[in-house]
Structures are given as structure tokens and as C-alpha cells.
Amino acid sequence: MNKFGFSLSPSSAINLDQVDRTFFNKLTEVEPDALRCMACGSCSATCTAAGYTGMSVRKVLLNLQRGRNEEVRKMLSACMLCGKCTMVCPRGINTRSIILNISKLW
Amino acid sequence: MVDYLHPSGFNSFIMPFVLGMTFVLVWCIGGAIRVIYELTPGDRKKFFLSLINPRIMAKNIKEWFCDCLFHVKLWKRNKLLGYMHSSIAFGWFMIIVVGHIEVFLYTPERIHRIWYPIFFRYFVAVTDHTMSGSFFFFLMDFFLLMILSGIILAMLKRAYSLLFGMRRTTRPSLTDLIGLYSLWSIFPLRLLAEGFTADISGGSFLTKTLNHLLHSFYSDPTQALPVWWAYSIALGVFMFILPFSRYMHIPAEILLIPMRNAGIPIRYSRKGISRLQVYSCPGCGVCIDACPLSAAKANIKDATVYLNRQLKRNNKKRIDQISDKCLLCGKCSSVCPVGVEGDKLRIAQRSTRKYNLTPDYSSIDGKQFIPQGSGKILYFAGCMTHLTPAIKRSLVSILEKAGEDYTIMDENGGICCGRPMLMAGRRDAAQQMIEKNTSIIMASGATTLLLSCPICYRIFKENYKLEGIEILHHTEYIKRLISEKRIDISKSDIKFAYHDPCELGRGCGIYEEPRDIIRAAGELLEGTKNGAESICCGGSLGSLSLGDEQRKRLIENALNNLTVASPDAIVTACPLCKNTFKRHSAIPVIDIAEVALQSIEKK
């Protein structure tokens, strides 16, 4: 059989009824602002580390809501805390505080 | 003529004082040994070496007098406040010194009795008819009067602190109050006690006068004993409460001054010099008015004086809250009369925080950031300048116009300087960034590193080791271009108000360069608070927990301070300040590089 370089990838569908959101819930207790994120991506667009590490605060919050904690760990280990995401957030969310609290609660 | 009124030289009323004095001496010597023991071996050696260095020792002696006794810094702040503190401190010091001189002159065989200089009048009668006798009596009464005037002012200050230039004062704790009232009662009681015995032991204008007055009430001199008891008890209470109250600053500052002059940095959150600084805090509350957080009566309990109190009480929750909220603008440190470094103490508290997720930048390849050009000037714009591209564009145009050979280090992204991480207390992570950036800069072959962000500038100055590379902030650089006549700036009649960024002014001591540039380009106006006392813009990266809503009030307060003289534009030298101000300002907010470029282009 010829191989054309294609393969079936496992489904990336996330069943929100089944994901484990305990960590995200724990986070929202100390950081209720995490719920105010509208995922506009301003933080990702300005992020200093984004270009070479894939860091994105938007994705961090989305992944936590979807229970994909392992990806969050990878992203956060590249954060340099420079604060640009906080400066540009249209919702005025203190993203640095969220990042530090995630690191503390992890 | 000397008479021993009580030949045994002892009366049980001295006991409260002797016990209190012994307690304080033991406590303070123990504390000093503990602080020195807690230093790192290198710091300890540095401290001991500084004590035999004549230049540093001369500075120590000068500061012991100027800071501990004369309170020169408070005099500069407010005359009344300075007089109040120095009259009590210097007056008390002189009473102790003159008391010792008297004992030494008249009863030298009893100099080893530590209560003699304090209760001299009870035990010994000296004639006040000779020149030397009346001189000492006069001195003692004079300094007592000085202290009493200081205490009257201190009482007045509790009701009308605004007279002393303080809008808000510290709310005293219980031990502070006990110390305060015992301190206030010591000197009136001393006057009363000496007044009772002035006809026997001698006296001068105060005590003799009081004695005449008292004679109309009583005739039996033995009635004086309860007053001597009260005087001794007041001293004893003050001595026993001293280590647990703010009055611990009196002995602590004596050690803090040589440690500071030896250049010992804060390394631990609670040990060594941190402990010493906490105990040196006099609780005066100058930092409360200074703190930008306390604008509009908010966050008063987050000032450095309360941090020190919570550190003494070991209240972990409050320590964390206070140290996380702070903007780290460093204003409390610059106004502090004893030199408590509130910002560095807070960073030290933050560094004790446990994080389960730690940053790891080892996978970032530093080589991709090594700039291609070979310019002698390496311009590192930094994260914040990328958010305000006008600054970068202006500075690049100026570099072009000056015909400079330059390279931009982070044109296509770069690594953060590490200062924000350092301010969050995460030294290891910051160190990783420092190492990566150092290798990039060293590989570039540049001889000058040009920065447009004071946050970067400070860490490059303080924490990077860049051999043979000159580090310049763009204010310094533009100033140099003007004075070397490599760019021509024309003066206009635009009125600029200059805002001192915290990290550039208080952080790195650059105040004059930006002002010189503005003076060359237009008219310079100042805010009500400027220079070392300028108010943080409110956007500082120093604060970890301050939210957007809370910052708004701080920003407005800082803007009001700058716009009092109705300028046409606000000028700053920090991209973060610019970014913060421009969202709330009614007038344009521009960077110093833009000002310089505009006045070049006008030509």
C-alpha cells in the first residue's frame, strides 16, 4: 500500500462535560478575573516570549478551562513576567497575578 | 564644694531604672550579635573591615550625629518636625553626657554606679555659687527645657500633625503607646524630682524656680522620694517596653548606620540587615504620605511602616499582601529618615514565596537573537518600548541624524531584561535571562548598550556584568549628542512638564539629563512633587496584585500632580509611564526622544 504521508490523527474534540476543571475552579477562587477573559488574544499578540516559545495567556486560560493542564505547564515555563499582556488587556485583567497564582497553586 | 546627701549612694528607688537599663543593654547587645551573626561570611568581613576604614568611620560618626541626634533629614522636611525630634534626642543625649561629666568631676570614685549620672541631684549636692557649678546646673536645666519643649510639640503633633507637614501619621500600637506615655512622663517627672531637691542639691533657672513654687506647698524634703520613685519607674517602664515598641529604633539605628555605609545589601527576607532595618523603623509615618498607593486615603495600612510592624509580629498573611501590592517605586526609601529600604525589603519577602511551576528558559536558543549588524552602538528597545513604537522610531531617527553606527538588538523579538521577574522576587529565573542576554550582547561586538526603558536600564546597571560595554539610557545619550553638537535642537515655546520615572530617577539617580534636554527644546515645568519625590505613574510592574480599577486612582493622582502648572504636554522617559499616562491624560504624553526629534525636525 502506498503511503502518501497522511495519517489519521486522534480526535482533538474536547467534551466539556467530562473535562477535569478542578484546577481552573481552584484558580477562579483566588482569581475571579480569570472568568472575565474574552479570549481576544491581545495578550498573545504582544507577548515577548510568544514568538519563540508558544506562550499565550489566552491559551493558558482556555486550556485550563478545558482541563489540558500539561500544555499550560509548558507555556508558563516560558513566561518572563514582562507585563505587556497586563498593559494591553482590554478587560483590565491582572494577567501577571493570574500567572503567578497558577504557578503557586500548581 | 561637694556634699554627699546620702552617703551610702544607694536608695531602692533606683531599681526600676537599673533593671530596665540592664535589660535594654543585654537585649541590644544580644540583638547586635544576632544581626552580625546572620550576615553572610563575606558581608560580615566587609562590615568589620569597614569599621577600620577611616573614611567610612568618619562618615559613620557624621551620620551618628546628623541622623540619630540632629535628625537633619527631618529638619529638611519640616522645621517643626525636625526640632521636635532633635530636641528630644539631642537634649536627652546631652543630659546623659553632662550627667556623666558631673559625676566624673565631683565624685569620680562613684563613676561605676550607672544610676549616678541619672539621679545625681538626689545623691550629691554641689554648690551652684561657683562658676563651674552654676555652669553645669544651667546646662542641665537648659537641655531639660529643650526636651520639654520637644515633648510639648510631640503632644501637639498628635492632634495637629499637619502643622508638622504630615497629613497622616502612624496609628500607634499598644506597646508604642506605653512607650510614648512613659517617654513623655520621664522628663516632667525629672523636673519635678529635681525641683523638690533643688534647695538642697542646687539647681538653675528651671529647677530653682520650681523649688520656690513648691515650697509654698510643702516643707518636708523627704516628701520628694515618691517623685524620684515615679521618675525611676517611668524610665524603667520605657526601658522594658523599648525592645517591643517603635523606640527600638534608637539603639538599632546606631548599628544600621555603619552597616549601611559598609554597603551591605539585603539578601534575606528576615535575617541580618533586613531584621536590623525592620527594628530601625521609628514608625514616624513619613512613608505614609509619600506612598503613591495612599492617594485618596486608600491603602494607608500598606505603607512601609506597617510592613515593618507586621514583620515584627510575623503576620505572614499581611506581610504577603503588603509586599505584593507595592509598586516598588522606592519613594518610601528615599524619604525615610533612617534609611529603611521598603522596596528591597518587599522584594526579599516576595523571594520567599514557593512556586510549584518555575520558569525554564533553557530551551530558548539565544543565538537567534545575536544581531546581524556590527554597529558600535547596540540598541535594546525592551519589551515596553515595543508597546510604544513611537519611542523606538524617534530614537532610531535621532541615531540616523547623528550619523551613528548602530544595531538594533531586539528588532525581531528578544528576551526580557529580567527586571520584572527580579521584582517578583524570582531571582533564579531572572538570572537565566540575565545570562542569555549577556551572551547575546557580548557576541554582538558593540561597545555601547543603549536603552530606552528605565526598567531595563536599572537591571543592566545593577545586575549585569558587561565588561567593557558602556550602558546608556537614551536621556543620557541624547544629552551627550546635544553637548557634543552632533544634533541641533531648536527651542520652542512649548511648555513641558517632566515626569521622573521611578526606575530612572530614584532607581538610577538620573534627574538632570532629561531636564537639560527639555530646557533645550522648550520650557520646563515641574509638578508639585518631583525628583526623588516624584509620584509613580501607577502602572509600575512592581505591583503584583494591584488591579486595573485600583490603579486608575493612582494614575489620576500622579497626573494631577504633573498638570498643576498647566503644561502643553507631559514628557517622560519611560515607555511604561507613557503608556500608563496616555490612557488617562487630557494633554499629550510624549517621550523625551520624541521631544528631541521634534525639535530637530523643526530646523
Side-chain angles (χ1 to χ4, degrees):
Chain A
M1 206 176 106
N2 282 329
K3 285 196 175 167
F4 298 102
F6 299 108
S7 67
L8 282 174
S9 52
S11 164
S12 57
I14 297 164
N15 186 339
L16 288 177
D17 288 333
Q18 283 165 10
V19 296
D20 177 19
R21 300 220 319 179
T22 40
F23 186 82
F24 185 73
N25 293 337
K26 220 162 55 177
L27 176 71
T28 51
E29 274 170 32
V30 284
E31 284 287 353
D33 269 7
L35 292 166
R36 289 175 58 228
C37 173
M38 56 185 188
C40 69
S42 302
C43 45
S44 318
T46 51
C47 182
T48 302
Y52 43 90
T53 61
M55 166 68 189
S56 157
V57 182
R58 176 184 64 97
K59 281 191 190 168
V60 163
L61 286 175
L62 283 179
N63 278 326
L64 283 180
Q65 291 180 50
R66 294 169 185 172
R68 298 170 67 163
N69 293 3
E70 185 46 34
E71 285 173 42
V72 172
R73 197 189 60 75
K74 267 186 237 159
M75 281 185 212
L76 282 193
S77 72
C79 173
M80 297 174 178
L81 226 56
C82 70
K84 271 152 92 178
C85 46
T86 313
M87 291 299 298
V88 298
C89 181
R91 304 281 276 174
I93 299 172
N94 190 348
T95 48
R96 281 175 9 119
S97 171
I98 291 182
I99 291 167
L100 287 172
N101 271 316
I102 295 174
S103 305
K104 240 183 273 180
L105 292 171
W106 198 258
Chain B
M1 197 188 96
V2 178
D3 265 344
Y4 289 100
L5 297 171
H6 301 272
S8 68
F10 178 83
N11 188 302
S12 43
F13 81 77
I14 60 154
M15 282 321 281
F17 164 74
V18 172
L19 288 176
M21 192 68 216
T22 318
F23 172 72
V24 161
L25 281 178
V26 170
W27 188 281
C28 291
I29 292 168
I33 293 171
R34 186 181 184 192
V35 164
I36 295 169
Y37 175 75
E38 283 171 347
L39 297 176
T40 60
D43 283 348
R44 199 157 44 233
K45 195 176 160 200
K46 201 166 154 190
F47 173 62
F48 286 131
L49 282 178
S50 82
L51 293 182
I52 50 168
N53 179 327
R55 196 180 50 80
I56 298 179
M57 209 52 211
K59 198 168 174 230
N60 288 344
I61 291 167
K62 183 184 149 244
E63 285 182 16
W64 275 324
F65 276 93
C66 289
D67 288 3
C68 301
L69 295 179
F70 302 129
H71 293 89
V72 173
K73 285 177 193 153
L74 288 177
W75 273 99
K76 284 180 190 159
R77 182 152 296 276
N78 182 296
K79 298 273 181 296
L80 217 48
L81 193 68
Y83 176 76
M84 181 199 120
H85 286 86
S86 56
S87 62
I88 298 175
F90 182 64
W92 201 0
F93 175 75
M94 285 313 288
I95 277 194
I96 296 168
V97 170
V98 178
H100 279 83
I101 294 174
E102 277 185 325
V103 178
F104 199 74
L105 281 180
Y106 299 122
T107 58
E109 75 282 5
R110 289 189 168 168
I111 191 75
H112 59 278
R113 300 186 184 190
I114 59 165
W115 63 88
Y116 243 66
I118 313 298
F119 306 113
F120 192 67
R121 297 275 179 272
Y122 181 81
F123 292 109
V124 183
V126 181
T127 175
D128 50 11
H129 298 303
T130 63
M131 190 70 178
S132 72
S134 60
F135 175 66
F136 285 118
F137 278 115
F138 172 77
L139 273 189
M140 287 302 243
D141 273 18
F142 174 74
F143 287 118
L144 192 59
L145 181 67
M146 193 171 168
I147 300 174
L148 289 171
S149 67
I151 284 173
I152 290 168
L153 286 178
M155 292 174 178
L156 196 67
K157 176 168 164 274
R158 297 210 69 76
Y160 306 102
S161 63
L162 214 53
L163 278 178
F164 297 77
M166 293 176 74
R167 273 201 302 149
R168 284 173 288 245
T169 53
T170 325
R171 181 184 282 266
S173 67
L174 181 66
T175 50
D176 287 348
L177 278 177
I178 299 173
L180 182 76
Y181 292 135
S182 54
L183 179 66
W184 282 1
S185 54
I186 288 172
F187 301 100
L189 284 172
R190 182 185 171 115
L191 176 65
L192 205 59
E194 291 189 349
F196 263 111
T197 35
D199 54 340
I200 311 165
S201 63
S204 188
F205 63 96
L206 264 188
T207 38
K208 269 278 167 71
T209 317
L210 186 66
N211 187 264
H212 288 307
L213 199 69
L214 287 171
H215 260 301
S216 49
F217 302 102
Y218 86 112
S219 52
D220 183 3
T222 53
Q223 285 169 348
L225 206 53
V227 191
W228 283 99
W229 263 101
Y231 172 42
S232 175
I233 288 171
L235 276 169
V237 169
F238 181 71
M239 302 283 187
F240 272 108
I241 208 73
L242 182 136
F244 314 106
S245 68
R246 61 184 189 185
Y247 298 101
M248 188 61 197
H249 78 273
I250 302 169
E253 200 188 350
I254 299 173
L255 183 62
L256 180 68
I257 287 171
M259 287 233 174
R260 183 175 59 215
N261 290 337
I264 293 166
I266 290 180
R267 290 189 202 275
Y268 305 109
S269 59
R270 309 287 284 276
K271 292 195 293 177
I273 194 141
S274 311
R275 183 190 304 283
L276 188 59
Q277 288 199 357
V278 167
Y279 283 99
S280 298
C281 172
C284 61
V286 170
C287 50
I288 303 177
D289 276 343
C291 183
L293 280 177
S294 69
K297 290 185 178 168
N299 307 314
I300 288 172
K301 291 266 175 179
D302 295 302
T304 302
V305 50
Y306 292 106
L307 172 73
N308 290 333
R309 184 180 290 179
Q310 300 301 346
L311 279 167
K312 283 184 197 170
R313 291 181 186 169
N314 205 1
N315 182 345
K316 187 85 182 101
K317 193 175 153 222
R318 282 293 291 143
I319 294 171
D320 283 355
Q321 277 174 356
I322 296 175
S323 44
D324 278 3
K325 200 187 258 182
C326 173
L327 298 156
L328 298 184
C329 71
K331 194 171 167 188
C332 52
S333 313
S334 77
V335 299
C336 181
V338 298
V340 175
E341 296 167 298
D343 50 340
K344 289 178 186 159
L345 267 179
R346 284 181 175 85
I347 295 179
Q349 306 312 316
R350 292 176 183 184
S351 66
T352 59
R353 216 61 53 77
K354 290 274 176 295
Y355 292 102
N356 301 320
L357 251 183
T358 47
D360 176 21
Y361 310 118
S362 53
S363 58
I364 300 171
D365 177 22
K367 287 197 186 71
Q368 62 179 311
F369 301 115
I370 297 175
Q372 295 305 311
S374 58
K376 286 292 139 206
I377 290 190
L378 187 64
Y379 172 38
F380 180 70
C383 307
M384 282 300 159
T385 312
H386 282 292
L387 268 189
T388 46
I391 300 177
K392 192 177 138 198
R393 273 200 308 271
S394 310
L395 192 52
V396 167
S397 302
I398 293 174
L399 283 163
E400 293 278 354
K401 283 184 199 298
E404 202 74 77
D405 179 20
Y406 70 95
T407 313
I408 301 178
M409 178 169 151
D410 52 350
E411 181 78 89
N412 302 309
I415 296 167
C416 171
C417 63
R419 176 83 186 150
M421 199 53 114
L422 198 70
M423 290 205 275
R426 306 175 80 178
R427 284 183 209 148
D428 297 341
Q431 192 56 38
Q432 287 185 43
M433 287 184 250
I434 291 176
E435 278 159 21
K436 285 214 182 291
N437 277 323
T438 305
S439 59
I440 296 169
I441 295 164
M442 295 318 265
S444 73
T447 52
T448 303
L449 179 67
L450 180 62
L451 303 153
S452 51
C453 174
I455 305 167
C456 307
Y457 180 62
R458 182 163 185 191
I459 193 169
F460 274 110
K461 278 254 170 182
E462 287 179 359
N463 299 71
Y464 279 67
K465 287 178 188 67
L466 298 168
E467 289 290 317
I469 295 178
E470 188 187 22
I471 300 161
L472 284 179
H473 186 251
H474 70 320
T475 49
E476 294 174 286
Y477 176 72
I478 296 172
K479 168 81 198 298
R480 187 181 293 181
L481 289 182
I482 295 172
S483 43
E484 286 173 2
K485 303 223 183 308
R486 291 170 64 189
I487 52 171
D488 244 343
I489 282 199
S490 61
K491 199 173 171 74
S492 67
D493 51 3
I494 305 174
K495 286 181 277 187
F496 297 109
Y498 178 65
H499 166 73
D500 283 284
C502 310
E503 297 279 64
L504 191 67
R506 284 184 288 266
C508 302
I510 293 187
Y511 299 110
E512 278 315 306
E513 285 87 344
R515 288 186 165 78
D516 288 341
I517 301 170
I518 294 175
R519 277 189 209 107
E523 191 185 333
L524 171 70
L525 301 178
E526 297 282 2
T528 33
K529 299 270 186 234
N530 55 44
E533 292 196 22
S534 92
I535 301 170
C536 171
C537 67
S540 169
L541 288 174
S543 177
L544 301 178
S545 62
L546 212 59
D548 202 42
E549 277 303 309
Q550 289 169 293
R551 285 184 193 257
K552 211 170 270 173
R553 205 176 38 228
L554 312 185
I555 300 166
E556 274 155 15
N557 178 47
L559 278 171
N560 290 342
N561 167 61
L562 285 168
T563 48
V564 276
S566 28
D568 300 319
I570 292 171
V571 182
T572 180
C574 170
L576 180 55
C577 296
K578 183 188 168 186
N579 208 331
T580 312
F581 276 151
K582 74 175 182 201
R583 299 166 191 213
H584 295 86
S585 171
I587 54 171
V589 182
I590 46 178
D591 188 84
I592 195 99
E594 295 170 74
V595 174
L597 184 68
Q598 279 166 14
S599 23
I600 300 172
E601 277 168 353
K602 267 191 228 119
K603 280 223 150 177

